[in-house]
Every structure is written in C-alpha cells, then in structure tokens.
C-alpha cells in the first residue's frame, strides 16, 4: 500500500510570513515527508474542507507551481490536488505526474480532455459539490451503492474523453458529502468499491468522523484506519503524518 503525504500550500497551513516564506516551508515539509517514506507528495493550493471558500486559479497556481517545480527537481513523485484543468496542466508541466481531482471531473468541463491530452495518472474522487455546501448533500439510502453509481458515471465520461483506463485511480471521497456513519459504513464495505477493479485511494487522515476536537487529536485513529486497510487491496492512503502511517501500511 502506497503512502501519499499531504502538502497543503494554503496560508492557514503554515503559520507566519508571506507567500514566499510559506513556499520555502512547504518545500522543506515535502522533502521531509519523502525522507519519512512517502511514495507520493500531494500538493494542493485550495482548501477543500467543509465550508471552505474557493481561491482563484491565479492564486492557486502561484501557491503551488513553484513548490511542485522545486520538489520535482529532487526526483520526488508529485500529485497535484486541484479541480481546475488549467492548474492540472501547469502542474504536470512543472513535473507532477498525477492529477488528484476531488471533483472527479465535475467541477471543470475541461478536466477530462486536458488529462487525456496530458496522458498522466488521474485520481477520480466521488464528489457531490463544492465545500461550501457539501454537508447538505450527505443523504443516501445506501451510501456504498450510490457512491459506486455516481463514480461510475464520471468514470464512463473520463474514458470516453480519452483517459486510458490504466491511468485511473478511484477514491470514495471520505468526508465529502458524507457524515460519520456514511464514512464508517464505506470503510467497512470497502471491498465493494475495490471490486470495481481500479486502484483505490483512501483519504481518511485526521478527518472529523474519527472523533476528537482538533485534527491533531485524530492521528492515532488515522493510523488505526490505515492499519485496518492493509490486506484490503487498497492502492494507497493520503495522510498528514507520514512516518506512523508508513509503519502501519507496512505492518
Ligand atoms: N481529502 C482532502 C483533500 N484532497 N484528495 C483525495 N484524493 N481524497 C481525499 O479524501 C481528499 C483529497 C481534504 O483533506 P485535507 O483538507 O486534510 O487535505
């Protein structure tokens, strides 16, 4: 199971200083996670937490492109966490090899054709709408079958736009338009999702459903979930605390 280290280059992720200072810290953090055993560093410049506002494409790109260029020059494998086709293109040109699209192609009509032309790996996540109001969309009769149906619709569109099947990784979008019960049910029935036959990425790290008031309090539960996913045929986990999760992933 691969471990993807999270590098959020947003002003609230690295306290103090202006953008330049943030970026130097971001690069250092990316290098540290790679040294700790992360297989991929996921670089994002737009927060997707529930309730978050969007940033402009220019702002998003100014935050992440220099960081990606710098990390790629050190032979670190990079994914770009973006739902914008333009940002995806600049990031791949700067040295990223994966596009991690939390909107699964639904936020930007140009995304699928852009990724097809770039011929890069593509992480297609289940998504029902932007962070601002996604919690109001957390209604399901059966979360697992509905997520599978909705992901399958996007998957068909991606493939007909020219993205090769073998380039695609699927992600159920833990915490995206899902309440705690939905997330736990999904994790308990993860075999139904892996049965689709695609590599599966899980992003549970420090999310609210794990309990605890602050994200930092959820590290132990994060590592537990990572450990529980070993032997479930999962391709990778997306985490903040690389060292402990690498250990769990190889346990
Ligand atoms: N979660 C977040 C951001 N990007 N990407 C994928 N593929 N899967 C996720 O679950 C996911 C993601 C939000 O979490 P963060 O704010 O802790 O980065």
């Amino acid at each position: 199971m691969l471990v993807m280290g999270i590098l959020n280059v947003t002003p609230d992720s690295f306290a103090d200083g202006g953008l330049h200072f943030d970026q130097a810290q971001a690069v250092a953090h990316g290098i540290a996670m790679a040294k700790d055993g992360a297989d991929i560093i996921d670089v994002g410049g737009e927060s997707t937490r529930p309730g978050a506002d969007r940033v402009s494409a220019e702002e998003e790109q100014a935050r992440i492109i220099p960081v990606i260029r710098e990390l790629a020059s050190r032979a670190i494998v990079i994914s770009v966490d973006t739902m914008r086709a333009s940002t995806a293109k600049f990031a791949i040109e700067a040295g990223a090899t994966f596009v991690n699209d939390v909107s699964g192609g639904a936020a930007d009509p140009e995304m699928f054709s852009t990724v097809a032309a770039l011929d890069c790996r593509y992480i297609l996540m289940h998504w029902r709408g932007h962070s601002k109001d996604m919690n109001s969309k957390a209604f399901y009769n059966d979360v697992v079958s509905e997520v599978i149906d909705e992901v399958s619709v996007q998957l068909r569109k991606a493939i007909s736009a020219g993205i090769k099947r073998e380039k695609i990784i699927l992600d159920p979008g833990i915490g995206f338009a899902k309440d705690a019960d939905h997330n736990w049910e999904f994790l308990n029935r993860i075999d139904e999702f892996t049965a689709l036959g695609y590599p599966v990425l899980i992003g549970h790290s420090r999310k609210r459903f794990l309990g605890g008031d602050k994200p930092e309090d959820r590290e132990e539960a994060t590592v537990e979930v990572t450990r529980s996913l070993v032997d479930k045929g999962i391709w990778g986990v997306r985490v903040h605390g690389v060292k402990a999760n690498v250990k769990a992933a190889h346990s």
Side-chain angles (χ1 to χ4, degrees):
M1 191 159 72
L2 299 180
V3 172
M4 174 186 271
I6 301 171
L7 188 57
N8 287 326
V9 194
T10 51
D12 49 346
S13 314
F14 295 93
D16 311 329
L19 193 54
H20 187 66
F21 183 63
D22 292 343
Q23 287 179 337
Q25 281 215 23
V27 169
H29 188 50
I31 293 169
M33 287 194 289
K35 284 210 175 103
D36 283 346
D39 301 286
I40 304 165
I41 303 297
D42 188 43
V43 185
E46 180 173 42
S47 176
T48 50
R49 282 178 190 282
D53 283 320
R54 298 216 61 193
V55 298
S56 70
E58 292 72 24
E59 175 71 30
E60 182 189 35
Q61 291 156 17
R63 288 176 183 177
I64 63 173
I65 300 301
V67 174
I68 290 172
R69 198 168 286 125
E70 191 63 37
L71 293 175
S73 75
R74 291 171 157 84
I76 291 172
V77 178
I78 295 157
S79 60
V80 58
D81 189 343
T82 186
M83 33 186 155
R84 285 195 180 94
S86 60
T87 304
K89 184 167 186 292
F90 287 132
I92 297 295
E93 285 167 1
T97 47
F98 291 78
V99 172
N100 173 23
D101 177 7
V102 301
S103 83
D108 187 336
E110 304 297 321
M111 185 59 103
F112 288 152
S113 56
T114 301
V115 169
L118 292 167
D119 203 26
C120 59
R121 304 292 302 272
Y122 180 66
I123 299 164
L124 188 163
M125 198 190 84
H126 176 254
W127 190 79
R128 282 186 165 183
H130 288 288
S131 303
K132 201 87 191 144
D133 58 356
M134 69 178 170
N135 286 343
S136 66
K137 295 175 178 160
F139 293 97
Y140 303 86
N141 288 317
D142 176 34
V143 64
V144 178
S145 59
E146 285 171 59
V147 167
I148 287 174
D149 287 350
E150 292 170 26
V151 161
S152 300
V153 169
Q154 292 308 103
L155 193 51
R156 275 194 293 276
K157 289 185 193 165
I159 291 168
S160 59
I163 301 180
K164 296 190 188 91
R165 194 194 178 285
E166 64 270 22
K167 300 279 185 188
I168 299 175
I169 295 136
L170 300 180
D171 184 330
I174 298 296
F176 286 80
K178 293 170 197 74
D179 66 24
D181 288 347
H182 296 137
N183 294 322
W184 286 119
E185 171 143 20
F186 212 99
L187 290 172
N188 288 331
R189 293 169 57 193
I190 196 63
D191 51 314
E192 293 172 48
F193 195 66
T194 51
L196 290 170
Y198 286 82
V200 169
L201 177 69
I202 301 289
H204 55 293
S205 186
R206 299 185 186 175
K207 286 185 178 167
R208 210 166 294 178
F209 77 106
L210 297 170
D213 289 336
K214 296 194 297 292
E216 307 80 70
D217 300 339
R218 302 172 189 145
E219 185 59 11
E220 215 172 299
T222 299
V223 173
E224 272 311 305
V225 171
T226 299
R227 196 171 291 120
S228 78
L229 292 171
V230 174
D231 299 333
K232 294 270 172 72
I234 301 297
W235 175 81
V237 288
R238 179 184 180 276
V239 299
H240 300 86
V242 168
K243 236 182 209 167
N245 282 286
V246 164
K247 205 167 153 216
H250 299 152
S251 63

